[in-house]
Amino acid sequence: MATAKSTHLKDINNDLLSFLDKTPNSFFAVKNISDELTNQGFERLLESKKWSIKKGGKYFVTRNDSAIIAFKIPAKKAAGFNIIATHTDSPAFMVKPNAEIEAGNQYIKLNVEKYGGMLCSTWLDRPLSVAGRVVINTKNGIETRLVNIDKNLMVIPNLCIHMNREANNNASISIQKDMLPIVGSLDVKGKFMDIIAKSIKVSEDDILDTDLYLYNREKGTIVGIDDEYISSGRLDDLQCTFGAMKGLLEAADGSTSISMMAALDNEEVGSSTKQGADSSFLESVVKRISTSLEMNDEDLEIALQSSFMISADNAHAMHPNNMDKSDPVNKPQINKGIVIKYSGNQKYATDAISGAILKKLCKKANVPFQIFTNNSDSAGGSTLGNISSSHLSINTVDIGLPQLAMHSSYELAGCKDTEYLISLAKCFYECELKNNGKNGINLK
């Protein structure tokens, strides 16, 4: 018989699976988060309009349809900002303009290129479709529409072993040659953009431009003898994005800190876009909040000294078949809790102060934590923390949830870890951090 705890855990991960399945890329992440926030009473703000922010209010703002920042204003004077930053994008194939290519007088395939550092082989022989943003011409000017073709539209076929005897021996992959999906026979020539146009009920001639990405159509699922794993596309970093959103929505009012969730775009390609962590977006929102709350420049600087950012982006778990790739000591395990990331080359923002604060938060939330460091012979990746904190100079920690098959089209993570992050986020948003001015920080 299922216990109340196991039923709660199952409900959380079923909600996550639903979120993942309807979120093929960053545009839909922002749409789905926006819908949820609106349903929970958050008011939408526009960067192009003046803001009127009130104490006790709940708000969100988007940029480029692919990044979103949500925040709750305390009823009392704001002491600082409690921020969780995640990212909305995942590695995928982006459709190039004039995409159709005729092959051998037999097939129509699409011309695509890589977005982010992906495991290309995991995209082979999978049912794929396309989703993204379409920009159209209307009588009122240029407008955008989201599109998701709900159909097994294409496939990237493997070359059979008989024609590629080295396929299992470190064979190389050419994106331009090996990774172009077929959408049909020669009879479908010219129909790709027609399908896009019909799905949003416009003429093909009205389409001015597109941002379209392939996605794996296989639904996410729970895996394992005891249902301990979750397997899906885009766990990196939608699992953290989902956890941060749920924590923000579930957190009780009463803290004097401004609670913020920043789900930014383009982390997988370096964050150096107008909607990425290396943009003005987060800093601009913080400044506009302070202005609306009638804080002067010095008030804001004081508030930032009592602020804290959690950069949440999934982490590498110890791989069962390649344990030598991990650090000899710090080997995160799935379902064993929040992973705190450290890096000597400052690819992660964690230092002794921010690491200590996160550990205290975990203990306060009754959530386990573990440590990640790279194997010293392997170059590590970077994430949001150090980039965001270069624009908004506050104490920042990099964390993640442990996962396997990162950057595959179908990844693997832990069911318990989803709940751990929600609990941590909820606790964090209910806390107040106060810099006592003597190299000490109080947490309450």
Side-chain angles (χ1 to χ4, degrees):
M1 180 179 294
T3 65
K5 178 71 174 177
S6 64
T7 300
H8 176 65
L9 190 63
K10 183 177 180 180
D11 288 343
I12 286 173
N13 284 282
N14 282 338
D15 285 348
L16 173 57
L17 286 173
S18 176
F19 178 71
L20 292 166
D21 287 342
K22 64 182 181 181
T23 308
N25 54 45
S26 58
F27 299 115
F28 284 87
V30 169
K31 176 189 181 301
N32 294 327
I33 294 169
S34 297
D35 289 346
E36 182 68 20
L37 293 172
T38 300
N39 290 338
Q40 296 292 328
F42 282 69
E43 178 184 340
R44 181 166 196 155
L45 302 173
L46 300 176
E47 286 195 282
S48 59
K49 304 290 185 181
K50 285 191 174 183
W51 292 3
S52 177
I53 293 174
K54 300 177 181 178
K55 291 181 179 179
K58 302 185 293 185
Y59 307 91
F60 72 93
V61 59
T62 69
R63 181 180 281 189
N64 189 56
D65 305 320
S66 63
I68 183 169
I69 297 176
F71 53 94
K72 297 197 297 187
I73 305 296
K76 301 177 182 179
K77 181 180 178 180
F81 295 82
N82 288 6
I83 305 169
I84 300 180
T86 69
H87 66 88
T88 59
D89 60 319
S90 301
F93 288 103
M94 187 173 186
V95 180
K96 293 182 180 179
N98 305 313
E100 290 190 11
I101 297 176
E102 186 178 324
N105 200 34
Q106 176 61 39
Y107 303 107
I108 296 298
K109 57 186 181 179
L110 294 186
N111 196 11
V112 299
E113 60 181 318
K114 282 200 312 178
Y115 173 89
M118 68 221 304
L119 284 168
C120 291
S121 62
T122 67
W123 288 78
L124 296 165
D125 307 322
R126 307 260 190 176
L128 307 174
S129 193
V130 66
R133 178 173 65 176
V134 179
V135 181
I136 62 172
N137 190 36
T138 74
K139 62 181 180 180
N140 298 318
I142 295 174
E143 296 182 5
T144 62
R145 300 280 191 277
L146 296 190
V147 59
N148 180 6
I149 306 301
D150 188 15
K151 175 184 175 64
N152 295 334
L153 192 64
M154 64 192 80
V155 67
I156 307 172
N158 240 313
L159 182 62
C160 66
I161 190 70
H162 312 81
M163 297 179 182
N164 184 14
R165 296 292 183 181
E166 296 301 309
N168 297 322
N169 298 315
N170 298 318
S172 62
I173 291 178
S174 164
I175 305 301
Q176 192 66 69
K177 178 183 177 183
D178 300 320
M179 300 306 297
L180 304 189
I182 59 172
V183 294
S185 67
L186 206 59
D187 295 337
V188 305
K189 186 176 182 179
K191 290 186 177 180
F192 176 68
M193 287 306 300
D194 181 60
I195 289 175
I196 300 297
K198 287 180 177 177
S199 71
I200 55 173
K201 298 180 173 57
V202 301
S203 166
E204 187 177 340
D205 293 336
D206 292 330
I207 295 178
L208 299 173
D209 216 331
T210 62
D211 292 313
L212 299 175
Y213 299 84
L214 306 192
Y215 71 95
N216 182 1
R217 292 271 295 168
E218 292 178 301
K219 299 291 187 181
T221 189
I222 303 300
V223 180
I225 291 176
D226 287 334
D227 295 332
E228 62 261 53
Y229 305 120
I230 184 168
S231 192
S232 174
R234 305 173 295 284
L235 286 168
D236 172 23
D237 187 35
L238 293 182
Q239 188 180 21
C240 286
T241 299
F242 174 85
M245 177 185 69
K246 286 295 186 181
L248 182 68
L249 294 176
E250 293 181 10
D253 297 332
S255 170
T256 58
S257 295
I258 297 170
S259 300
M260 299 185 68
M261 182 195 81
L264 306 171
D265 195 11
N266 303 127
E267 189 276 342
E268 299 295 358
V269 290
S271 296
S272 57
T273 60
K274 65 182 181 296
Q275 58 275 358
D278 202 14
S279 73
S280 64
F281 191 25
L282 180 58
E283 182 182 14
S284 172
V285 170
V286 166
K287 287 182 176 179
R288 292 185 72 167
I289 291 172
S290 67
T291 299
S292 192
L293 294 178
E294 299 182 343
M295 299 168 65
N296 60 34
D297 289 346
E298 187 172 29
D299 291 335
L300 176 57
E301 289 301 321
I302 292 171
L304 290 177
Q305 296 308 306
S306 292
S307 300
F308 192 71
M309 185 189 301
I310 297 175
S311 165
D313 188 7
N314 271 5
H316 298 294
M318 180 182 68
H319 196 287
N321 300 328
N322 294 274
M323 289 182 284
D324 60 311
K325 297 294 185 180
S326 296
D327 180 80
V329 177
N330 301 301
K331 304 177 180 182
Q333 299 177 46
I334 290 176
N335 286 322
K336 293 298 177 67
I338 305 298
V339 177
I340 308 174
K341 305 178 184 178
Y342 293 83
S343 173
N345 61 14
Q346 303 302 299
K347 291 295 186 180
Y348 301 131
T350 311
D351 58 21
I353 293 175
S354 62
I357 293 171
L358 199 283
K359 291 172 184 177
K360 288 200 70 172
L361 281 168
C362 285
K363 290 178 181 178
K364 186 177 180 67
N366 196 27
V367 167
F369 64 85
Q370 47 193 329
I371 304 299
F372 172 83
T373 57
N374 285 296
N375 183 303
S376 297
D377 290 330
S378 301
S382 61
T383 184
L384 300 151
N386 58 340
I387 297 174
S388 293
S389 61
S390 68
H391 292 267
L392 199 64
S393 299
I394 62 178
N395 283 318
T396 301
V397 64
D398 269 303
I399 70 165
L401 299 181
Q403 76 163 82
L404 296 171
M406 187 176 288
H407 291 193
S408 168
S409 73
Y410 209 71
E411 300 169 320
L412 187 71
C415 290
K416 291 181 182 179
D417 293 320
T418 308
E419 183 180 32
Y420 291 146
L421 180 59
I422 294 172
S423 296
L424 175 65
K426 178 177 180 293
C427 178
F428 175 55
Y429 287 134
E430 293 173 346
C431 285
E432 176 187 327
L433 287 84
K434 183 66 176 177
N435 190 323
N436 63 21
K438 299 178 181 179
N439 294 322
I441 296 174
N442 299 323
L443 175 64
K444 64 178 182 179

